[in-house]
């Protein structure tokens, strides 16, 4: 209901030309729209999770809208610095991509480069080193590929009966698979072996998925290549996890930063909270780790009133319309009621401490 009402209002404002007028206001001129993206579908990932993946054509359309609105797309570091200096150019935008998936390397960057826009990738580095699919995401994707089947796996699921892979059944199994590695001290390679077994039980062609590099990150070598082409790499933690203990939290930052140093780029000083998980206690920890800005998944347009370690972003998805996207470019959408984005589950190194 709320989204439908917002969309109807945005369409009306567009038809009246009021969104174009908003683009030229001093209010918009003093603000920075930070756009957040995740994956660009190599195959059918956007059907599995349209909140995470969009078709390449949708990304291309978004960049066309940015160009048509005559926005100034700035490098993130420059954008943040100029935001707090009070000298942003009109209609300022920064492009960010989370995680550093292979599809950014293969599909997204060529599109971004065609428009000549600078871009920042918040790279999480554990799976970039492991060079295997991201475990939690791939488990969910395999269960989706096996929807309509049943799964019998007592040694992992802890029950002797078959589970029908309805939507509820897939959620139940995915939750069990998320917890199982921690309960048994499994390594990354061990978790990958679980994925191989899961695919076999579901009769899903895992080799084809691997060959397409679905739900994999770019390698550190590939990231280094992109850094030499001008892509800005910043921090997203090493394991895509945070901790409520400062030492463990800081270690995630430093492990991540150490890998980024190998790319030959400048020292990483910008950060993105994994899964949108923010806590006020993180802020002094980030400052002590020499982090100068941190972006969230909270929808909004950044102003000088925002703490630089709690910068809002508009997380764009395949399900958003052109009218919604343009509403954020102009700033009108930021003035309308909106829901805060929920935190992703499983983002803590110690889930028992986080619960």
């Amino acid at each position: 209901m709320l989204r439908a009402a917002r969309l109807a209002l945005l369409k009306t404002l567009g038809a009246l030309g009021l969104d174009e007028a908003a683009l030229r206001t001093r209010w918009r001129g003093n603000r920075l729209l930070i756009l957040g993206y995740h994956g660009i579908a190599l195959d059918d990932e956007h059907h599995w999770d349209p909140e995470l993946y969009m078709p390449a054509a949708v990304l291309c359309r978004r960049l066309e809208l940015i160009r048509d609105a005559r926005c100034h797309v700035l490098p993130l570091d420059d954008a943040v610095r100029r935001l707090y200096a009070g000298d942003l150019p009109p209609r300022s935008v920064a492009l960010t991509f989370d995680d550093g998936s292979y599809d950014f390397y293969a599909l997204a960057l060529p599109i971004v480069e065609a428009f000549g826009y600078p871009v920042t990738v918040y790279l999480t580095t554990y799976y970039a080193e492991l060079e295997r699919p991201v475990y939690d995401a791939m488990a969910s994707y395999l269960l989706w590929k096996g929807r309509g089947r049943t799964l019998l796996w007592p040694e992992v699921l802890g029950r002797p009966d078959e589970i029908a892979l309805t939507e509820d059944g897939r959620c139940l199994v995915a939750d069990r698979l998320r917890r199982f590695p921690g309960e048994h001290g499994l390594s990354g390679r061990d978790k990958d072996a679980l994925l191989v077994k899961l695919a076999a039980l579901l009769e899903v062609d895992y080799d084809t998925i691997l060959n397409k590099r679905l739900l994999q990150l770019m390698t550190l070598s590939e990231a280094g290549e992109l850094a030499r082409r001008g892509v800005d790499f910043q921090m997203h933690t090493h394991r895509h996890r945070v901790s409520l203990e400062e030492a463990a939290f800081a270690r995630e930052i430093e492990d991540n930063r150490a890998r980024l140093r190998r790319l030959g780029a400048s020292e990483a000083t910008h950060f993105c909270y994994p899964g949108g998980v923010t806590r006020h206690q993180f802020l002094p920890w980030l400052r002590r780790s020499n982090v100068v800005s941190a972006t969230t998944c909270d929808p909004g347009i950044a102003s000088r009133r925002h703490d630089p370690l709690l910068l809002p972003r508009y997380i764009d998805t395949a399900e958003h319309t052109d009218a919604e996207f343009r509403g954020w470019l102009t700033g009108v959408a930021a003035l309308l009621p909106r829901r805060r984005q929920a935190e992703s589950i499983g983002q803590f190194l110690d889930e028992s401490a986080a619960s």
Side-chain angles (χ1 to χ4, degrees):
M1 291 288 291
L2 176 61
R3 186 185 177 212
R6 282 168 49 86
L7 184 55
L9 181 55
L10 288 170
K11 288 181 177 178
T12 300
L13 293 174
L16 295 173
L18 296 178
D19 60 344
E20 179 64 29
L23 265 173
R24 299 191 297 270
T25 62
R26 183 178 179 182
W27 181 90
R28 176 64 179 90
N30 290 331
R31 283 163 171 78
L32 169 67
L33 175 64
I34 305 174
L35 293 171
Y37 292 90
H38 287 89
I40 305 301
L42 293 163
D43 190 29
D44 59 356
E45 307 98 299
H46 57 297
H47 296 302
W48 159 63
D49 192 342
E51 291 292 316
L52 285 179
Y53 283 87
M54 65 172 52
V58 175
L59 175 64
C60 188
R61 175 59 180 159
R62 299 296 199 250
L63 301 189
E64 289 174 350
L65 290 170
I66 292 171
R67 179 197 62 199
D68 294 347
R70 302 182 306 282
C71 293
H72 288 84
V73 182
L74 304 175
L76 179 69
D77 184 75
D78 187 37
V80 171
R81 179 181 55 79
R82 295 184 69 174
L83 170 66
Y84 290 100
D87 68 346
L88 284 171
R91 304 176 295 278
S92 291
V93 172
L95 288 176
T96 68
F97 282 75
D98 290 8
D99 304 331
S101 54
Y102 171 74
D103 53 78
F104 176 85
Y105 176 90
L107 291 181
L109 183 60
I111 296 171
V112 174
E113 286 181 325
F115 284 83
Y117 292 153
V119 63
T120 289
V121 174
Y122 292 114
L123 180 64
T124 181
T125 41
Y126 177 83
Y127 279 100
E129 282 189 319
L130 190 64
E131 299 186 13
R132 300 295 291 179
V134 177
Y135 173 76
D136 287 349
M138 182 56 80
S140 176
Y141 178 72
L142 290 174
L143 291 169
W144 175 78
K145 296 288 278 188
R147 62 196 183 279
R149 298 177 181 271
T150 59
L151 180 63
L152 179 63
W153 201 3
E155 59 269 33
V156 170
L157 302 183
R159 47 190 291 176
D161 55 324
E162 291 184 329
I163 298 177
L165 296 182
T166 61
E167 184 173 350
D168 288 344
R170 296 198 304 271
C171 288
L172 186 154
V173 174
D175 182 67
R176 180 63 192 138
L177 289 173
R178 180 175 61 85
R179 297 176 184 278
F180 185 84
E183 294 170 357
H184 294 80
L186 301 187
S187 68
R189 293 292 177 184
D190 293 333
K191 291 194 289 185
D192 193 63
L194 278 183
L195 294 175
V196 173
K197 177 64 173 177
L198 176 62
L201 289 171
L202 296 175
E203 299 180 352
V204 173
D205 185 352
Y206 198 48
D207 287 338
T208 295
I209 291 172
L210 293 177
N211 289 337
K212 292 180 179 180
R213 292 185 64 182
L214 306 187
L215 279 66
Q216 294 190 44
L217 302 189
M218 67 181 90
T219 66
L220 292 181
S221 175
E222 290 164 342
E225 175 193 333
L226 297 196
R228 292 188 291 274
R229 287 165 58 181
V231 175
D232 173 42
F233 285 94
Q234 297 295 335
M235 294 177 288
H236 199 32
T237 73
H238 180 49
R239 299 165 184 81
H240 206 273
R241 296 289 187 271
V242 292
S243 173
L244 297 180
E245 297 293 333
E246 182 177 3
F249 184 96
R251 187 165 56 251
E252 276 296 309
I253 298 290
E254 187 49 43
D255 285 350
N256 194 204
R257 180 182 268 145
R259 272 87 177 163
L260 296 182
R261 287 192 190 108
R262 301 176 194 170
L263 307 184
S266 58
E267 185 80 349
T269 58
H270 301 279
F271 175 75
C272 176
Y273 297 96
V277 174
T278 59
R279 299 289 186 274
H280 280 284
Q281 70 205 69
F282 294 165
L283 306 190
W285 301 351
L286 288 168
R287 293 188 181 99
R288 285 194 281 272
S289 292
N290 298 315
V291 173
V292 300
S293 87
T295 51
T296 70
C297 292
D298 293 337
I301 299 184
S303 75
R304 279 177 286 175
R305 294 182 178 180
H306 286 102
D307 189 308
L309 298 182
L310 289 171
L311 291 173
R313 286 190 300 171
Y314 171 57
I315 304 300
D316 193 15
T317 78
E319 297 190 320
H320 294 171
T321 66
D322 282 2
E324 287 174 296
F325 185 79
R326 182 170 169 78
W328 282 99
L329 290 180
T330 64
V332 171
L335 303 175
L336 303 180
R338 57 194 182 275
R339 294 187 181 92
R340 182 176 179 179
Q341 183 150 325
E343 294 179 351
S344 298
I345 60 172
Q347 300 303 307
F348 288 91
L349 290 169
D350 183 352
E351 290 191 29
S352 62
S355 59

